[in-house]
Amino acid sequence: MKKKIVVIGAGISGMAAALRLQTNGFDVTVIEKNPVPGGKAGTLTSGGFRFDTGPSLLTLPELAQELLTDAGTDVILDLTSLKSSCKYFWHDGTVVNAFASAEDFSKELEHTLAIPPRFIEAYLKQCRVLYELAAPVFIFSAFHRLKTFSSDAAKRIAKNILKLDAITTLHKRNTSLLHHPKAVQIFNRYATYNGSNPYKAPATLRMIAHLEHNKGAWMLAGGMTTLTETLFESARQVGVDFLFNAEVSEIVLDNKKAVGVKTGQRVIEADAVISAVDIYQVYHTLLPGFRLPRRLKRAGLSSSAIVFFWGMKGTFPSLDVHNILFSANYAAEFEMIFKRKGIYEDPTVYIYISSKLSTCDAPHGHENWFVMINSPHNAGQNWKALVEYTREIVVRKIASILKIDVKQHLVYESIANPASLEVQTNSYNGALYGPSSNSKWSAFNRHPGFSRKIKNLFFAGGTVHPGGGIPLCLASAKLAAEEVENLFVDDKNEK
């Protein structure tokens, strides 16, 4: 008889784990509290506009394609390689195109910031070396299992431990290597990819730059929701059972062993459980009697976001698919977010316009603007007042830097804030990435993909190892699936 696996959450990681396990001979049920799959990688459609509500940039697309191929599907993802991963703007009129090609990006920074290409080329080479050293252990292995540290990859790390650059902060390392404040700001931004502060987070996060400028940045035809829909349909085709509008209230235990979940008045039995939801929520609501591990308390929470979904009449050639309007004082902005828990008067503004490539995402002659600023997590702030304040300063900033009057072009608007995101995405206190990485110990503080105290309970998703973002969520799903498979390997061998 097939082993029964219950997966909590139909986000990217939950569906990816379910697809792998069902393909490999398990009987998998995915339970999702919302009426549709996707989790944080959702979609908003209204007034002829379509918006991705979560992740917007895809790196390492081969991880998603590998998953679909391993599942036996004939789906080939329709990908567009972005010529520029982002376009950066400053108050003084400086504009930098962050070309995905390392060579083109080096030339751009030489032209705009007078930085000799050798500095950028050397920096990106270091990022590549760092990624190739760290990724096999810190991303693609069960980092918290002792056997991982006997691997050849772990031995290489032991011999080159200083190359991990975990003791120095990202800002300090960038300052020492890049020799220009605007270049430092560009590469500091990678800390925000997992909701952290570049003035506190380890320089190890430089490896993200390798993914965008050495490996490439991509966009899916139809937006990120295409990946959600593809995973869902592929999982259904191989036999995964989905139960929507069903909120899990408890992971059922028997002598410290996960044996199922409770939803409503119903208990769904299982041989193993994978939780693919926020790890803080798991301990606060799904595991009565089990305290939040101290490592998570020490880590502190990641940032959240205020997002304006704007349907704009007109097209704006000065903007690319991904755009950043930088703060004039980046350090003060992060001080405000993480220490004072407020919104800085000059926030960095991210504008994502998928209709630049996916024309069906907006009516003809219009654009869909996903406008986001990083914010503190929900700590009881007056979000109504903060959103109104933020909206005004963002509109003024766009007018000042881009010379675009938002109010003259705006034909549709929806807004998300940390309090609403907490409800919509089940993110604890609206912290979109769970624990922050504002420590040299952050990789060690992340929750492993398994429970040390509860048998047959595993974890996946952006709030556990290896971290947030679609590639890491796919990696965590694969690791969780492998944990389940290893758990029952003896049973399989006997058969």
Side-chain angles (χ1 to χ4, degrees), residues 215-271:
K215 299 280 285 181
W218 306 80
M219 183 171 169
L220 276 165
M224 286 300 177
T225 190
T226 298
L227 181 58
T228 295
E229 294 166 357
T230 301
L231 291 180
F232 176 56
E233 290 302 325
S234 298
R236 286 206 309 177
Q237 286 174 17
V238 299
V240 174
D241 184 29
F242 285 86
L243 184 59
F244 292 105
N245 294 307
E247 185 167 4
V248 172
S249 59
E250 185 178 338
I251 297 171
V252 180
L253 307 180
D254 181 12
N255 195 26
K256 293 188 178 180
K257 177 181 178 181
V259 295
V261 300
K262 185 176 182 181
T263 175
Q265 299 302 310
R266 178 184 177 189
V267 172
I268 300 177
E269 296 180 351
D271 294 295

Side-chain angles (χ1 to χ4, degrees), residues 216-475:
W218 306 80
M219 183 171 169
L220 276 165
M224 286 300 177
T225 190
T226 298
L227 181 58
T228 295
E229 294 166 357
T230 301
L231 291 180
F232 176 56
E233 290 302 325
S234 298
R236 286 206 309 177
Q237 286 174 17
V238 299
V240 174
D241 184 29
F242 285 86
L243 184 59
F244 292 105
N245 294 307
E247 185 167 4
V248 172
S249 59
E250 185 178 338
I251 297 171
V252 180
L253 307 180
D254 181 12
N255 195 26
K256 293 188 178 180
K257 177 181 178 181
V259 295
V261 300
K262 185 176 182 181
T263 175
Q265 299 302 310
R266 178 184 177 189
V267 172
I268 300 177
E269 296 180 351
D271 294 295
V273 174
I274 296 178
S275 172
V277 297
D278 188 292
I279 191 65
Y280 289 91
Q281 298 287 21
V282 172
Y283 281 97
H284 284 292
T285 63
L286 304 185
L287 289 174
F290 286 83
R291 293 182 178 180
L292 186 73
R294 277 189 293 178
R295 68 167 70 90
L296 292 182
K297 290 182 180 179
R298 288 196 301 265
L301 292 174
S302 74
S303 61
S304 185
I306 293 176
V307 184
F308 302 96
F309 301 94
W310 285 342
M312 298 284 285
K313 185 177 182 180
T315 57
F316 305 89
S318 63
L319 294 172
D320 208 330
V321 176
H322 302 280
N323 310 271
I324 287 285
L325 281 57
F326 268 126
S327 170
N329 191 335
Y330 218 31
E333 181 180 8
F334 284 98
E335 173 84 3
M336 177 63 80
I337 292 171
F338 284 99
K339 189 171 183 179
R340 299 170 62 185
K341 301 294 188 292
I343 303 299
Y344 186 53
E345 61 187 11
D346 176 28
T348 296
V349 178
Y350 169 60
I351 304 175
Y352 163 51
I353 311 171
S354 66
S355 60
K356 292 282 187 184
L357 290 179
S358 183
T359 55
C360 60
D361 284 351
H364 180 70
H366 294 69
E367 291 183 347
N368 62 334
W369 285 24
F370 171 104
V371 182
M372 185 194 83
I373 70 156
N374 295 308
S375 79
H377 67 265
N378 181 22
Q381 300 94 323
N382 182 345
W383 289 111
K384 183 177 184 298
L386 282 175
V387 166
E388 291 176 358
Y389 167 72
T390 302
R391 189 179 186 277
E392 281 303 311
I393 58 178
V394 168
V395 167
R396 287 202 304 269
K397 183 162 186 165
I398 290 172
S400 174
I401 295 179
L402 300 178
K403 312 305 179 188
I404 297 172
D405 186 342
V406 170
K407 293 178 182 178
Q408 284 189 357
H409 297 274
L410 188 63
V411 296
Y412 169 81
E413 180 177 48
S414 182
I415 302 172
N417 65 64
S420 67
L421 289 170
E422 181 175 357
V423 175
Q424 292 165 9
T425 68
N426 203 32
S427 300
Y428 181 67
N429 286 356
L432 293 175
Y433 307 89
S436 76
S437 292
N438 294 335
S439 163
K440 60 187 176 185
W441 305 110
S442 57
F444 300 90
N445 285 333
R446 278 207 168 266
H447 198 288
F450 58 91
S451 174
R452 298 189 188 278
K453 296 183 177 180
I454 303 170
K455 295 179 181 179
N456 297 17
L457 177 60
F458 306 95
F459 305 97
T463 64
V464 299
H465 170 75
I470 287 178
L472 300 193
C473 284
L474 291 173

Side-chain angles (χ1 to χ4, degrees), residues 153-204:
K155 291 174 183 176
R156 283 196 297 274
I157 288 178
K159 292 179 181 178
N160 299 276
I161 191 69
L162 294 179
K163 289 184 180 180
L164 288 180
D165 223 359
I167 297 175
T168 304
T169 67
L170 182 62
H171 173 73
K172 186 175 181 180
R173 178 62 68 223
N174 286 342
T175 300
S176 70
L177 294 175
L178 296 169
H179 310 290
H180 194 292
K182 286 185 171 65
V184 170
Q185 197 169 21
I186 288 172
F187 288 97
N188 275 358
R189 190 176 73 88
Y190 288 114
T192 68
Y193 279 39
N194 67 3
S196 301
N197 177 351
Y199 300 89
K200 298 287 185 181
T204 314

